[in-house]
Amino acid sequence: MGVEPENTLRSFVAAQQAGLDVIELDLHLSKDGHLVVMHDTEVDRTTDGSGPIAEKTLAELRALDAGLGERVPVLEEVLDAVAAPLQAEIKDVAAARALAEVMLRRDLVARVEVSSFHDEAVAEIARLVPGVRTALIGSRYGTDIVERAVAVGAKTVCLNIRRLTLEVVEAAREADLRIIGWVVNTQDHLRLVRALGLDGATTDHPEIKRTGRFTA
């Protein structure tokens, strides 16, 4: 998030207060199996620590400063801190299984959409959580992203706005898929979202909410 330390509780609260439609977060598993909220595989960029998340226990991750004195949050803290709908991005199949347990226990099917770059993770969460809404994410892609999304039962594709073409949009529409563009932080990208008739966009800057529908 562009105005608060990313993937921290204060960033999610700020996004909710800004009135964004959906809040996006990223999930990894700690060494001891906890779902922690962080974008990168390693903690180096966003904390005062170093090394892979998967090699650290939750206690070790909690000891890090994630910006402005914030701790690295776990998923359930975010669920309790904000009431907004969430889009949870999972990084692998193991995280999908852990997320499925939380979604079933807390009855989150209506509130949480699950996304991933990994086809197998999308397929796994759909198998474990009946009725879950899923999205396949694409960074470098062509019309193949549509075929892959249909194959794993995703209803949405989240696509890198810098590579998005009319051909891909038309293929997605023919397959009855929703299309979300990311990351939309400039007016040029916002105009492209509107010109292509996308269903929404992901942004780092909540203030852009005034001119469109966004997740953060």
Side-chain angles (χ1 to χ4, degrees):
M1 190 170 166
V3 296
E4 297 285 359
E6 68 176 66
N7 275 305
T8 60
L9 288 181
R10 64 186 292 159
S11 73
F12 299 129
V13 171
Q16 177 169 269
Q17 290 174 342
L20 294 174
D21 305 297
V22 182
I23 297 173
E24 192 266 350
L25 54 81
D26 306 285
L27 295 175
H28 291 268
L29 280 180
S30 66
K31 183 177 180 179
D32 47 351
H34 293 275
L35 279 169
V36 295
V37 183
M38 189 177 291
H39 181 275
D40 299 354
T41 301
E42 298 184 341
V43 303
D44 301 55
R45 182 178 63 86
T46 56
T47 79
D48 59 350
S50 63
I53 295 171
E55 295 180 4
K56 298 182 183 298
T57 65
L58 180 60
E60 290 171 329
L61 292 166
R62 293 294 223 178
L64 302 176
D65 185 342
L68 301 179
E70 288 286 298
R71 297 192 306 177
V72 175
V74 295
L75 172 62
E76 300 221 30
E77 287 180 315
V78 180
L79 291 168
D80 293 337
V82 298
L86 302 177
Q87 183 185 84
E89 180 186 334
I90 47 178
K91 301 300 185 178
D92 55 36
V93 171
R97 292 168 183 156
L99 177 58
E101 188 278 326
V102 175
M103 291 188 68
L104 293 170
R105 173 165 48 84
R106 296 189 57 150
D107 191 21
L108 297 173
V109 172
R111 181 181 174 194
V112 177
E113 180 181 46
V114 182
S115 65
S116 183
F117 280 94
H118 305 293
D119 305 49
E120 61 273 21
V122 174
E124 182 71 354
I125 194 76
R127 183 182 72 82
L128 294 171
V129 184
V132 65
R133 293 169 292 120
T134 58
L136 185 63
I137 309 173
S139 180
R140 297 180 179 276
Y141 59 87
T143 55
D144 63 297
I145 192 74
V146 173
E147 299 167 3
R148 290 167 50 204
V150 171
V152 297
K155 300 301 183 185
T156 300
V157 284
C158 299
L159 303 177
N160 181 351
I161 195 74
R162 293 167 180 79
R163 296 182 64 89
L164 190 56
T165 65
L166 182 58
E167 181 184 17
V168 172
V169 170
E170 290 175 343
R173 292 307 186 202
E174 288 177 6
D176 199 26
L177 295 175
R178 295 176 66 248
I179 309 169
I180 304 296
W182 60 268
V183 175
V184 176
N185 288 337
T186 70
Q187 289 299 315
D188 283 344
H189 287 150
L190 178 58
R191 282 189 284 271
L192 181 59
V193 167
R194 289 174 165 167
L196 293 175
L198 304 190
D199 299 287
T202 300
T203 184
D204 294 320
H205 300 290
E207 64 272 15
I208 208 168
K209 164 70 176 178
R210 295 191 300 272
T211 52
R213 292 177 58 83
F214 294 93
T215 63

